[in-house]
Amino acid sequence: MADIQSDFARSDAYLSALIREVRAAPTANASLTMGRRTLFKLAGAGAAGLVLGFRFADTAFAAEMADGKTQPMNAFIRIAPDNTITIYSKCPEIGQGIKTSFGVIIADELDADWTHVVMEQADINSAVYGYQGSGGSTSIPRAWNQLREAGAGAKAMLIAAAAKQWGVDASEITAQDSVLTHTASGRSATYGSLAAAAAKLPVPDAKSLKLKTRAEYRLIGKRYRGVDDPKVVTGQPLFGIDVQVPGMVYASYTKCPAAGGKVRSFNVDEIKAQRGVLDAFALDGTGVPIEVMPGVAIIAKDTWSAFQAKDKLKVDWDLSEASKDSSSHFAAEAKKLAADFPKKPDDDVGDVDKSFASAAKTVEAYYEYPFAAHVPLEPMNTTAHWHDGVMEMWVPTQQPDRGLPLVAKVAGIPQEKIVMHQTRVGGGFGRRLVNDYTCEAAAIAQKVGAPVKLQWTREDDFGHDFYRPAGYHQFKGAIDKDGRLDAWREHFITFTADGKKEATGANLTDNLRYSIKAPNLRRAKTMFPLRIPTGAWRAPGDNAQVFAAQSFLHELSLASGRDHVEFLIDAVNRDVPELAPKDPSVNFSPKRASDVIRMCAEQAGWGRKLASGRGLGLAWCYSHAGHVAQAVELSVDANKRIKVERIVVVLDVGPIIDMEGSDAQAQGASTDALSTAMGLKITIENGVIQEQNYNAYPILRLPFAPMTIDAYFIQSDNPPTGMGEPAFPALAPALGNAIFAATGERVRRLPLRDLGYSLAV
């Protein structure tokens, strides 16, 4: 099993790598040939040139796309004679709003009339669109320049067509709301009337395009209703679970409850005799968790029949290589090992021992948090059809680019023989960065002579996730005579899948290396072997490690006798060159951190006197290239019932594309973080997940959600980052610090329900 999980750990630093790639100049992915499409590259135009240079070389395909009604400007934009502009969103929409934001970015550079814009989901074709994943809050920063250049390039073609028809210089033509105007002659024309002529002109070199400055934006930064909202609220079929294909059958897939178990046998005759069942068979799979683990597939006429038969399934599992992991054992052993600091540190800056010896005060504390599951509302599913040597798939995935080569491996076919359609995704949070369910569907489809929808149950989702790892931190800090943070020592107890490096999601986040800036600092880790698969979970690493680090910083600020906000700002601005980011493209900024802390304190009313039993806590984080501070004001009664009065979140994530969507993400992330801190925990015994549905995993219900979450944005000319994750990590420590302010009890363990806390309505 260690070898199996080590295969998954190949992507261990995936999200960090994504962010590094975004900050460097991203280029288009390797070419994937998709039948009728042909790509023409512009020499020296870079990634965006690939998009602008897209042409429909096959006449039949061009006709199919245009249908006599619309003209393709490039891979992203089609314009109809009635001035309707169709824009294709290249990345998965998982509720983070990029299908709207991508359209706004393109439409702003295009100077389009947003009321006439129609957004559609693009199919998967990296040769045309480049990278098409959503994860790590990188969708916007990765696509930012590419989308702007697509819009600006199309506008340049339309202007060139008008200039040619009117016999005027292109520089004299202005564009606004899908209309071109030549003021001197009084001429004007709609984009729709010029689209056919524009589509025949040469594609402009990306280097020749003049992109707008922030002051010139007309659409970016306003509030928009999500382009899919009417369809979502009226229940129209958008999601993978909604897919219907003629002649489709349905499948369930049952794997061993303990990761790594194999099928010896199952009651095949009894299952095949069940009503509605068409077939049942075992798969050996590849033995790799991110591909296909061994299991039993049941094929039926409908989902109900497949699930009813699944309930009667009796499998004789070979458990000789199955997980025996125990979360209670890990927690007990971590506490025993915590004080035994490893001899070989990972970070060693200054002289920690000398600082402790001369410190005015020292503080020690032990923090821990549990495993957590993703369990998005839409369970894992994929529809696959193996026909004519082609694997056609309808997939709700965050990472189609990563899924394609895995499906090719599992199916034993060239990647060019896979056609992947994107569906809207009913929640991801990092779970759908992994394409195991897609690979399972492909393996099953090759044994079924019809389109087949693989549908997981809720229990499948809980029992076969790629979990957020638990973590344990032993801290010791020193305060000097001036009340400043002088030393930080941290023993991080975490997990390894291969005995060499941390399991996926179990590494000390790089963000804390930049933001904890003690002049004397030492960090080391101890790793437990783990066989349960782990993975990225919303704001990987930061989601729990910031709770531990920022809570301990609050303990240190109290020991210093200084105001907490003053202490945080002083600490983040310490000049410690050894703790500065080594990668010059990393955008961590002490000034931006200080600004969000100050603004959050101001908006939360920091320093005012509160009534007894009421507390205000504040914390900050640098996460996914965003600088964020959060404050929580709450009251706690004698029965440890918490009433969250207000949450304030301040973000510096560069220019905001869609203010409505950004507000929603800030509020949603804060609510999700509150839910996680209060109640979410996965326990593992003898390799089996104990929580099998929401009844044992109490995600926050609507009556307990905070009534007031105020989001504020410090906008700048810094490149934009995503919004899905940065507003998550600082909430838990702000919550814990507020509880301390209200009650004097320090929260050092999550979830809070284990400490007797609950939320009041």
Side-chain angles (χ1 to χ4, degrees):
M1 184 65 184
D3 289 340
I4 291 173
Q5 193 165 353
S6 70
D7 286 320
F8 179 65
R10 289 174 297 182
S11 58
D12 184 35
Y14 164 68
L15 290 171
S16 296
L18 277 188
I19 293 171
R20 285 195 297 271
E21 289 171 20
V22 172
R23 294 170 187 152
T27 57
N29 289 2
S31 176
L32 169 64
T33 303
M34 294 291 287
R36 298 166 292 179
R37 302 186 182 188
T38 301
L39 180 71
F40 288 82
K41 298 181 182 179
L42 271 67
L50 295 179
V51 175
L52 293 176
F54 177 78
R55 275 292 182 265
F56 301 95
D58 183 281
T59 305
F61 185 53
E64 174 189 321
M65 291 294 289
D67 194 27
K69 299 176 182 177
T70 61
Q71 293 294 330
M73 297 293 102
N74 53 51
F76 291 94
I77 303 166
R78 291 189 303 171
I79 301 177
D82 67 357
N83 236 19
T84 297
I85 299 173
T86 301
I87 296 177
Y88 288 88
S89 179
K90 70 169 189 167
C91 291
E93 173 59 62
I94 57 176
Q96 81 282 46
I98 60 169
K99 193 173 180 181
T100 303
S101 292
F102 277 16
V104 169
I105 294 168
I106 290 174
D108 202 319
E109 289 291 349
L110 182 59
D111 276 309
D113 180 350
W114 180 252
T115 63
H116 290 164
V117 170
V118 176
M119 293 300 300
E120 298 287 352
Q121 191 69 53
D123 278 344
I124 304 303
N125 191 336
S126 62
V128 171
Y129 293 105
Y131 173 78
Q132 287 187 265
S134 290
S137 291
T138 61
S139 296
I140 293 291
R142 269 183 173 268
W144 174 241
N145 284 331
Q146 183 191 35
L147 299 179
R148 294 168 75 203
E149 288 170 0
K155 182 173 72 174
M157 293 167 69
L158 290 162
I159 289 174
K164 185 176 180 180
Q165 286 188 14
W166 298 340
V168 301
D169 192 275
S171 64
E172 298 172 4
I173 297 175
T174 58
Q176 186 171 344
D177 293 334
S178 303
V179 175
L180 296 177
T181 302
H182 184 250
T183 304
S185 64
R187 291 190 181 99
S188 65
T190 65
Y191 286 3
S193 67
L194 293 164
K200 298 173 184 177
L201 296 178
V203 176
D205 189 318
K207 293 179 180 179
S208 70
L209 301 174
K210 182 181 180 297
L211 302 180
K212 291 183 177 181
T213 64
R214 187 158 66 97
E216 295 173 313
Y217 297 154
R218 289 176 175 163
L219 299 177
I220 290 174
K222 294 183 179 179
R223 294 185 177 274
Y224 297 92
R225 182 181 70 181
V227 294
D228 281 343
D229 285 0
K231 294 179 181 178
V232 171
V233 299
T234 56
Q236 296 185 42
L238 294 170
F239 300 91
I241 203 170
D242 298 325
V243 169
Q244 295 289 319
V245 179
M248 186 170 72
V249 296
Y250 301 80
S252 71
Y253 191 60
T254 301
K255 294 178 283 193
C256 184
K262 300 176 182 178
V263 180
R264 284 201 187 102
S265 63
F266 72 99
N267 55 335
V268 58
D269 293 334
E270 180 183 356
I271 295 303
K272 287 185 176 181
Q274 297 300 309
R275 183 176 180 179
V277 171
L278 302 172
D279 199 3
F281 49 84
L283 290 177
D284 292 333
T286 63
V288 180
I290 60 171
E291 296 171 359
V292 184
M293 294 296 282
V296 175
I298 298 173
I299 314 301
K301 294 179 180 179
D302 51 60
T303 306
W304 174 253
S305 298
F307 285 179
Q308 289 295 101
K310 182 182 176 76
D311 287 343
K312 295 180 171 59
L313 185 63
K314 299 172 185 175
V315 184
D316 179 16
W317 297 106
D318 177 359
L319 300 176
S320 59
E321 298 180 22
S323 167
K324 301 294 190 297
D325 292 329
S326 165
S327 54
S328 60
H329 174 75
F330 292 141
E333 288 301 304
K335 202 151 195 176
K336 292 178 185 177
L337 290 170
D340 187 12
F341 195 86
K343 294 180 180 178
K344 185 179 180 181
D346 296 296
D347 299 299
D348 201 0
V349 175
D351 191 334
V352 171
D353 295 330
K354 182 179 179 181
S355 174
F356 286 151
S358 61
K361 290 184 180 179
T362 61
V363 180
E364 294 187 64
Y366 178 77
Y367 282 79
E368 61 182 306
Y369 43 84
F371 289 88
H374 298 87
V375 291
L377 189 60
E378 179 192 24
M380 303 305 110
N381 65 85
T382 292
T383 300
H385 188 194
W386 173 242
H387 63 92
D388 306 315
V390 171
M391 185 67 71
E392 187 171 10
M393 314 187 82
W394 292 260
V395 187
T397 177
Q398 291 181 244
Q399 285 294 317
D401 304 72
R402 296 172 72 190
L404 284 165
L406 296 181
V407 170
K409 175 187 172 186
V410 167
I413 59 176
Q415 199 166 306
E416 301 83 53
K417 295 294 185 179
I418 303 168
V419 176
M420 191 174 282
H421 308 291
Q422 291 192 80
T423 69
R424 189 178 172 100
V425 181
F429 315 110
R431 173 58 180 94
R432 285 180 161 100
L433 296 174
V434 187
N435 288 275
D436 52 326
Y437 54 96
T438 302
C439 293
E440 291 168 2
I444 292 168
Q446 286 191 310
K447 292 182 174 292
V448 178
V452 57
K453 179 189 285 184
L454 171 65
Q455 179 62 64
W456 285 27
T457 65
R458 183 71 64 200
E459 290 76 12
D460 291 332
D461 262 11
F462 270 88
H464 299 285
D465 202 347
F466 292 81
Y467 306 91
R468 182 194 77 180
Y472 317 91
H473 300 255
Q474 179 68 52
F475 295 112
K476 184 175 181 179
I479 302 297
D480 67 17
K481 61 181 177 59
D482 297 319
R484 307 182 79 191
L485 175 63
D486 193 59
W488 178 282
R489 191 180 73 185
E490 179 176 359
H491 182 191
F492 178 36
I493 301 173
T494 185
F495 299 92
T496 178
D498 60 5
K500 299 175 183 177
K501 63 180 181 178
E502 300 96 325
T504 305
N507 57 296
L508 184 72
T509 170
D510 283 343
N511 296 332
L512 290 177
R513 297 183 190 277
Y514 309 146
S515 59
I516 304 297
K517 300 181 73 176
N520 304 287
L521 180 143
R522 186 177 295 156
R523 290 192 181 97
K525 64 178 176 287
T526 296
M527 298 190 293
F528 292 139
L530 181 71
R531 305 178 80 180
I532 293 287
T534 59
W537 197 98
R538 190 174 193 173
D542 301 336
N543 57 59
Q545 293 176 34
V546 169
F547 156 70
Q550 284 287 310
S551 297
F552 185 58
L553 271 174
H554 188 239
E555 295 197 54
L556 290 167
S557 76
L558 291 174
S560 76
R562 299 170 64 190
D563 176 78
H564 182 54
V565 169
E566 177 191 340
F567 183 85
L568 286 180
I569 292 173
D570 177 67
V572 80
N573 283 282
R574 298 298 294 270
D575 184 17
V576 187
E578 297 93 335
L579 299 178
K582 301 298 186 290
D583 184 344
S585 66
V586 172
N587 72 342
F588 172 73
S589 163
K591 181 183 183 306
R592 295 173 75 183
S594 301
D595 288 347
V596 296
I597 294 169
R598 286 194 184 95
M599 185 172 180
C600 186
E602 179 183 345
Q603 294 297 337
W606 186 261
R608 60 194 162 89
K609 185 175 178 58
L610 300 174
S612 177
R614 201 172 179 105
L616 178 62
L618 185 145
W620 86 278
C621 69
Y622 171 68
S623 180
H624 290 76
H627 299 72
V628 183
Q630 279 167 296
V632 176
E633 184 173 344
L634 52 73
S635 57
V636 184
D637 68 17
N639 295 310
K640 304 184 81 169
R641 287 192 297 259
I642 298 169
K643 182 172 178 56
V644 176
E645 307 289 348
R646 185 185 182 213
I647 294 172
V648 173
V649 52
V650 176
L651 305 98
D652 181 349
V653 292
I656 301 301
I657 312 303
D658 170 12
M659 186 59 73
E660 191 72 23
S662 294
D663 270 347
Q665 285 298 304
Q667 294 167 356
S670 298
T671 304
D672 191 13
L674 175 64
S675 172
T676 304
M678 288 300 305
L680 302 192
K681 177 176 71 171
I682 286 292
T683 53
I684 310 163
E685 294 303 333
N686 201 29
V688 178
I689 306 303
Q690 301 302 294
E691 293 77 15
Q692 288 291 307
N693 212 315
Y694 289 132
N695 64 317
Y697 198 70
I699 287 176
L700 192 70
R701 269 38 175 195
L702 187 59
F704 300 96
M707 294 297 294
T708 304
I709 304 177
D710 295 324
Y712 301 90
F713 300 91
I714 299 176
Q715 299 209 47
S716 67
D717 291 320
N718 293 296
T721 183
M723 273 294 306
E725 292 162 291
F728 187 103
L731 189 284
L735 176 69
N737 295 344
I739 290 172
F740 180 85
T743 68
E745 180 180 2
R746 174 61 61 186
V747 173
R748 297 193 179 106
R749 177 161 62 96
L750 297 178
L752 290 174
R753 67 183 170 104
D754 284 358
L755 303 176
Y757 288 97
S758 62
L759 287 174
V761 176

